[in-house]
Amino acid sequence: MTDLFAPLQSLKQGDWFKLICGASFQHLPAVRSLTLAYTLAGADCIDVAADPAVISAAQAGLQVAKSLAKDAQKRGFDYKGNLPFLMVSLNDGEDPHFRKAEFNPTQCPTDCPRPCERICPAQAIVFNSIKEDFSGVISEKCYGCGRCIPVCPYDIIYTSSYMSTPGAIAPLVMSTGVDAVEIHTKVGRLAEFEQLWQAISPWADQLKLLAISCPDGEGMTDYLRAIYDLIAPLKSALIWQTDGRSMSGDIGDGTTIAAVKLGQKVLAAKLPGYVQLAGGTNSYTVAKLKAMGLLKRAGEQGSRGAGEREELFSSAPLPLCPSASIAGVAYGSYARVLLSPILEQLENKEVSNTNVKATVRLEEDDVLLWQAVELAHSLVSQIKSQQER
């Protein structure tokens, strides 16, 4: 099995795992560390913001992971050095994935209990931080979940949307050599989707995977069919990402229900491609899918027969989704929060070189590295165990 085909094999087997670093999450050290840990834990895809600096940070994490493959195997992790796909997320219009919280900290009363700071899953809100010499929202850490807004006692937190035109951003990110693109859309935005697709299409043939992420809405399946008609024929693999309840996986077990229900809805539409859950996914998701019989069992064949040629990059029509099988799960906020204690310790371990301080890289702390991989593996292995029975 080559690096190229390993993630696609996971899609076919029904044990695909994707890490969502976050379309607005641009904290470079954390992106690098998350990429490293989840790659060593066996992730199939790393999804990052459409920003060359973020892409570069993830690529650095991927290369370090490949160099540590033998160490991972010695420690009992089934990582063979295959690189996951590197995916960038783009949106075809204003989208919650692309907003940031903001407020003026000078307006905060000194006696405020600061519930915003406590509730922020990304530790993006700080007050009088000695390390950052800053109070307010650390923009590169904020990924726009919006939880701080309703808890502010003085109603001074707001959001700002950050968008780039499709024509400007697509050439920039596509030239970095990414493997895959995910387009966030909503029902009724076919014209906006077409504009973005036209900007991407010159690079479409070099992509190994295209993902379409869409939340539920009236007429959703008809909208997805219209999108498919627009992008077909497609040489790459295709994923329909069912965005159940965005950026909520770390809130509680129940958030996964919306993603599962939406996954069932898209499966029933029998669209060409694969169906993958996202939005509210967490440690409960795979158990729920197993209980509902929505994961492919080990040894089952998908829509392609075992003897058929694997023309994964041909112009032949894509296979229909297996009628009752979810191909994989993407984890965002839950996956990041799971590793946040490790990342926080790492950030606090600074080295001083003259008067310049730098955060220690994850691979430079052997204890924290393998603790992070162990935590990441506890999540990745839930779906990967489907093929080990």
Side-chain angles (χ1 to χ4, degrees):
M1 182 64 63
T2 65
D3 289 0
L4 184 64
F5 288 91
L8 295 178
Q9 184 69 19
S10 295
L11 270 178
K12 291 172 56 190
Q13 292 173 172
D15 64 352
W16 164 271
F17 180 103
K18 185 176 86 169
L19 168 69
I20 304 173
C21 281
S24 291
F25 189 67
Q26 296 173 302
H27 188 234
L28 301 183
V31 168
R32 188 183 189 279
S33 295
L34 287 164
T35 299
L36 171 55
Y38 276 96
T39 297
L40 288 172
D44 297 295
C45 184
I46 309 294
D47 183 358
V48 299
D51 181 299
V54 178
I55 294 168
S56 179
Q59 288 172 330
L62 290 174
Q63 292 307 312
V64 173
K66 191 167 186 176
S67 72
L68 292 172
K70 290 184 179 179
D71 289 343
Q73 293 167 19
K74 289 178 181 178
R75 293 172 180 270
F77 299 106
D78 189 30
Y79 174 66
K80 298 178 176 61
N82 297 320
L83 290 180
F85 286 165
L86 183 57
M87 173 183 284
V88 295
S89 286
L90 300 169
N91 72 316
D92 63 9
E94 187 168 355
D95 184 310
H97 292 76
F98 286 78
R99 66 179 183 176
K100 303 277 189 179
E102 294 183 7
F103 67 91
N104 183 349
T106 64
Q107 296 178 355
C108 298
T110 56
D111 60 349
C112 178
R114 299 171 179 169
C116 59
E117 185 178 24
R118 294 196 304 273
I119 203 171
C120 178
Q123 292 85 48
I125 298 178
V126 297
F127 290 91
N128 302 317
S129 168
I130 297 175
K131 181 179 179 182
E132 284 88 6
D133 189 23
F134 174 79
S135 292
V137 179
I138 304 173
S139 180
E140 62 267 25
K141 286 189 176 184
C142 175
Y143 55 83
C145 69
R147 294 178 212 173
C148 56
I149 297 172
V151 303
C152 176
Y154 303 97
D155 196 29
I156 64 171
I157 303 178
Y158 58 96
T159 60
S160 293
S161 294
Y162 293 84
M163 298 172 58
S164 296
T165 62
I169 200 169
L172 191 64
V173 301
M174 297 306 295
S175 64
T176 61
V178 297
D179 303 296
V181 166
E182 179 170 280
I183 301 177
H184 292 267
T185 188
K186 290 182 180 178
V187 177
R189 290 214 300 240
L190 190 61
E192 292 87 348
F193 182 96
E194 184 174 12
Q195 181 183 10
L196 178 56
W197 181 246
Q198 287 175 349
I200 294 172
S201 57
W203 292 272
D205 286 354
Q206 75 184 38
L207 293 175
K208 303 178 182 73
L209 175 68
L210 175 68
I212 309 296
S213 180
C214 187
D216 202 2
E218 186 176 353
M220 177 194 182
T221 53
D222 288 338
Y223 179 63
L224 296 183
R225 288 191 183 98
I227 285 179
Y228 181 74
D229 289 342
L230 182 65
I231 63 177
L234 193 67
K235 289 187 177 181
S236 66
L238 176 63
I239 285 177
W240 302 103
Q241 177 169 288
T242 60
D243 200 355
R245 185 177 168 187
S246 300
M247 298 174 282
S248 65
D250 59 304
I251 294 176
D253 290 348
T255 62
T256 200
I257 300 300
V260 174
K261 288 183 176 179
L262 188 53
Q264 290 178 297
K265 181 176 180 177
V266 177
L267 282 173
K270 298 185 183 298
L271 294 160
Y274 300 94
V275 177
Q276 171 228 281
L277 302 189
T281 52
N282 49 37
S283 62
Y284 180 66
T285 304
V286 171
K288 183 67 175 176
L289 289 173
K290 286 180 179 178
M292 297 177 69
L294 290 173
L295 284 179
K296 189 185 299 184
R297 296 179 181 178
E300 281 185 350
Q301 294 297 326
S303 53
R304 295 173 186 251
E308 293 184 40
R309 294 181 63 195
E310 299 300 325
E311 297 290 353
L312 292 169
F313 300 103
S314 75
S315 57
L318 291 169
L320 293 177
C321 294
S323 60
S325 298
I326 295 295
V329 182
Y331 298 86
S333 56
Y334 182 83
R336 297 193 296 269
V337 170
L338 185 64
L339 264 62
S340 61
I342 303 295
L343 301 185
E344 188 173 356
Q345 288 184 63
L346 197 64
E347 285 190 36
N348 291 333
K349 288 173 68 70
E350 291 186 334
V351 293
S352 180
N353 182 8
T354 63
N355 293 322
V356 180
K357 290 185 176 181
T359 302
V360 177
R361 290 176 172 175
L362 183 57
E363 69 272 18
E364 295 170 350
D365 189 310
D366 204 54
V367 174
L368 290 182
L369 168 63
W370 297 108
Q371 286 179 354
V373 177
E374 185 67 45
L375 285 170
H377 187 260
S378 71
L379 185 58
V380 176
S381 62
Q382 291 181 14
I383 193 165
K384 293 298 182 183
S385 65
Q386 286 292 105
Q387 299 303 322
E388 295 173 359
R389 294 175 305 193

